[in-house]
Amino acid sequence: MPAFSNPSQHEQSQQVLLHPSHIESAQFDPPLQLGVMASGRGSNFEAIAQAIARGNLSASIRLLVVNNPGCGAQQRAERLGIPCKVIDHRIHRDRRALDRELVHCFQAAEVEAVVMAGWMRIVTSELIQAFPERLLNIHPSLLPSFRGLDAVGQALQAGVKISGCTVHLVTEDMDAGPIVTQAAVPVLANDNHEALAQRIRRQEHRLLPFALTLMGPHWRQG
Ligand code: GRF
């Protein structure tokens, strides 16, 4: 993966960083300066905020951007006292115009990396190129399986016995950028959509802060 151009360096970093005690004590000075994008519930956004509050992630959320006024993520930001900006996609001419506004806001907030934590819009090169290898997405499947919409439904439909979630770098090919880390979730015999989605979400909440800690050293070297 581009984050670690030399594969053996990647392996070494994983070996060193995968130990939970290393992950939880990894400190960045100053803490990682993050932007977050969300469209709906916002549980992944809150999971990042909680990991920071508990001392499990050395970071600070400088700005949350939501595209749906009043969504769960915005309400969580208000409760947590985290700056939140609404950029309603409906008032922008096209995707590129929306993304230019996102770049403007995140640059003004001086973030060094951006997390798409349930951002339900396709992003363009305007955003991707403004944060090269610094734009992450979380997706509820073990990519490259089940890209796109309703990954949980796709997994149930396919009858797989193991699904999960993936954090990956965002490229212009949707849900196809280099994989940072993944977590597996078994599909149980009597699973329905909500039950499986909920178990995957629990792993997402653990995986996303972990992915940020994994990427931190790379961003600070860059
Ligand atoms: C998550 O399942 C994430 O993988 C997907 O959208 C969902 C967002 O959930 N991209 P939440 O809004 O963080 O609760």
Side-chain angles (χ1 to χ4, degrees):
M1 65 187 269
F4 302 93
S5 45
N6 170 347
S8 64
Q9 189 192 351
H10 182 205
E11 266 164 37
Q12 280 168 18
S13 307
Q14 295 265 333
Q15 278 164 13
V16 173
L17 285 171
L18 275 173
H19 192 281
S21 64
H22 284 120
I23 285 296
E24 295 202 351
S25 61
Q27 291 301 314
F28 300 105
D29 185 18
L32 300 174
Q33 304 293 297
L34 301 176
V36 180
M37 298 157 59
S39 296
R41 184 189 306 107
S43 69
N44 279 285
F45 155 68
E46 183 158 357
I48 299 171
Q50 278 177 0
I52 294 170
R54 290 188 186 127
N56 294 336
L57 172 63
S58 176
S60 161
I61 302 178
R62 308 272 310 180
L63 180 67
L64 169 75
V65 173
V66 301
N67 63 311
N68 287 316
C71 67
Q74 182 180 0
Q75 293 169 26
R76 289 177 201 254
E78 281 161 9
R79 172 163 52 77
L80 295 166
I82 294 174
C84 176
K85 182 158 176 64
V86 180
I87 305 182
D88 190 338
H89 60 276
R90 298 162 197 89
I91 64 164
H92 283 85
R93 195 172 59 250
D94 55 26
R95 293 187 198 284
R96 301 189 79 79
L98 172 70
D99 285 1
R100 273 196 295 275
E101 175 75 7
L102 283 161
V103 171
H104 173 78
C105 290
F106 286 132
Q107 283 176 345
E110 300 187 332
V111 311
E112 61 186 310
V114 178
V115 185
M116 292 166 50
W119 181 257
M120 302 308 286
R121 312 282 309 165
I122 292 172
V123 295
T124 69
S125 58
E126 297 281 347
L127 180 65
I128 296 165
Q129 286 172 13
F131 294 97
E133 291 187 31
R134 288 164 182 264
L135 182 62
L136 294 182
N137 182 45
I138 182 144
H139 184 78
S141 78
L142 291 177
L143 291 172
S145 294
F146 313 130
R147 295 162 59 183
L149 285 178
D150 193 18
V152 174
Q154 291 185 57
L156 286 171
Q157 180 71 30
V160 296
K161 302 303 175 202
I162 297 180
S163 191
C165 46
T166 303
V167 178
H168 66 96
L169 299 177
V170 177
T171 58
E172 288 182 45
D173 218 357
M174 192 178 54
D175 298 332
I179 291 170
V180 175
T181 183
Q182 295 182 303
V185 175
V187 181
L188 305 181
N190 55 356
D191 257 347
N192 59 30
H193 194 286
E194 183 48 30
L196 179 57
Q198 223 175 71
R199 284 207 316 291
I200 291 176
R201 251 195 321 272
R202 273 205 289 277
Q203 292 307 310
E204 290 184 333
H205 298 165
R206 202 182 54 83
L207 196 68
L208 199 43
F210 175 76
L212 289 161
T213 301
L214 277 180
M215 288 304 295
H218 173 69
W219 292 330
R220 288 293 160 92
Q221 272 163 30

